[in-house]
Amino acid sequence: VISGIMDMRSGSASFAAPEAIIQDVGVAVLFEKLYNQDFAIGTGYIDALYPGVQSAVEIYAKIAAANATGRHNYPVGLLLGGKRWSPVQAMIGAEMARYIHRNYTEITVDEEDIPVDLIEEVGIGGNFLAEMHTAEHFRDNIWMPELFERTLTAAGSVDRMIEKAKQKWSDFMKKDTVPCVSDDIVREIDRWKETAIKMLMK
């Protein structure tokens, strides 16, 4: 579902306005309940022109709405109402998705997560940082973002998230990736790609 509203000031379509998001969710839920059809929500369609604060807020709002209805199909990287794709925005979108899923993680209460014996041993006002249990489990229980800032100083530029996203994409592009399909399919995809480029370049 990819709906939009018209911004009456400019006449342009908005895909990330609250009203558009409510429409998307409403239509998806309606078709699920009445016709048993699983419609994804067009989370990737946002209004921001470039990666930045607006793009992060809009993609967060759309992914959160989709997640709230149990829909976890998140196309990332789109800008300008789906007319532009940005690898930096894709990194930001992926971070937003991880952030949202972490926000809604179910809290588990068992002996492994809550070591009662250790809590009693350390006691009120004690320090758990030096305990082996903390070292073994903190990575599973504390979400550590790759793009968000968590520093104690204000050093650095304002657009640190953008810089980190660019670096993450650059690192990704340097990796040797092995296709998850057979060599024959890889050759067929390459043939289709070359044919499409020739057609588009005419």
Side-chain angles (χ1 to χ4, degrees):
V1 183
I2 304 169
S3 71
I5 63 148
M6 181 187 289
D7 187 318
M8 301 300 283
R9 297 166 302 179
S10 63
S12 61
S14 172
F15 299 100
E19 300 80 12
I21 297 172
I22 292 168
Q23 288 170 175
D24 290 352
V25 171
V27 171
V29 172
L30 180 73
F31 271 78
E32 180 183 10
K33 291 191 180 301
L34 295 183
Y35 309 113
N36 200 30
Q37 292 181 321
D38 184 13
F39 279 18
I41 295 172
T43 55
Y45 282 73
I46 60 174
D47 304 327
L49 305 180
Y50 304 100
V53 174
Q54 181 180 342
S55 75
V57 170
E58 290 179 344
I59 201 68
Y60 182 94
K62 295 203 83 171
I63 291 176
N67 179 68
T69 65
R71 289 165 173 80
H72 303 129
N73 175 23
Y74 310 137
V76 293
L78 296 175
L79 295 163
L80 190 59
K83 298 181 187 75
R84 176 181 291 159
W85 188 83
S86 161
V88 171
Q89 179 60 27
M91 299 296 108
I92 292 172
E95 180 101 321
M96 294 297 107
R98 287 189 289 269
Y99 185 35
I100 288 163
H101 279 256
R102 188 61 188 170
N103 282 340
Y104 295 98
T105 299
E106 187 174 319
I107 298 173
T108 57
V109 181
D110 56 34
E111 291 182 5
E112 191 66 21
D113 287 317
I114 302 178
V116 176
D117 293 344
L118 180 60
I119 293 170
E120 291 175 347
E121 181 184 327
V122 172
I124 297 172
N127 186 344
F128 290 91
L129 291 178
E131 299 298 327
M132 185 56 67
H133 187 275
T134 302
E136 291 173 347
H137 294 280
F138 79 93
R139 290 183 184 275
D140 299 326
N141 293 289
I142 299 175
W143 180 65
M144 292 182 284
E146 297 179 15
L147 305 182
F148 283 12
E149 282 296 324
R150 286 186 176 172
T151 60
L152 297 176
T153 66
S157 70
V158 175
D159 294 325
R160 285 275 295 151
M161 184 170 72
I162 303 297
E163 291 174 9
K164 289 180 179 180
K166 286 179 180 177
Q167 186 60 52
K168 188 176 178 186
W169 176 254
S170 176
D171 294 343
F172 173 78
M173 292 302 290
K174 290 174 185 172
K175 291 180 181 176
D176 291 328
T177 56
V178 179
C180 57
V181 294
S182 68
D183 291 342
D184 290 339
I185 293 177
V186 170
R187 283 190 289 274
E188 184 68 12
I189 291 171
D190 287 341
R191 189 180 68 78
W192 275 92
K193 183 179 78 172
E194 290 170 9
T195 302
I197 289 172
K198 287 176 184 176
M199 289 174 61
L200 292 170
M201 296 302 288
K202 283 184 179 178

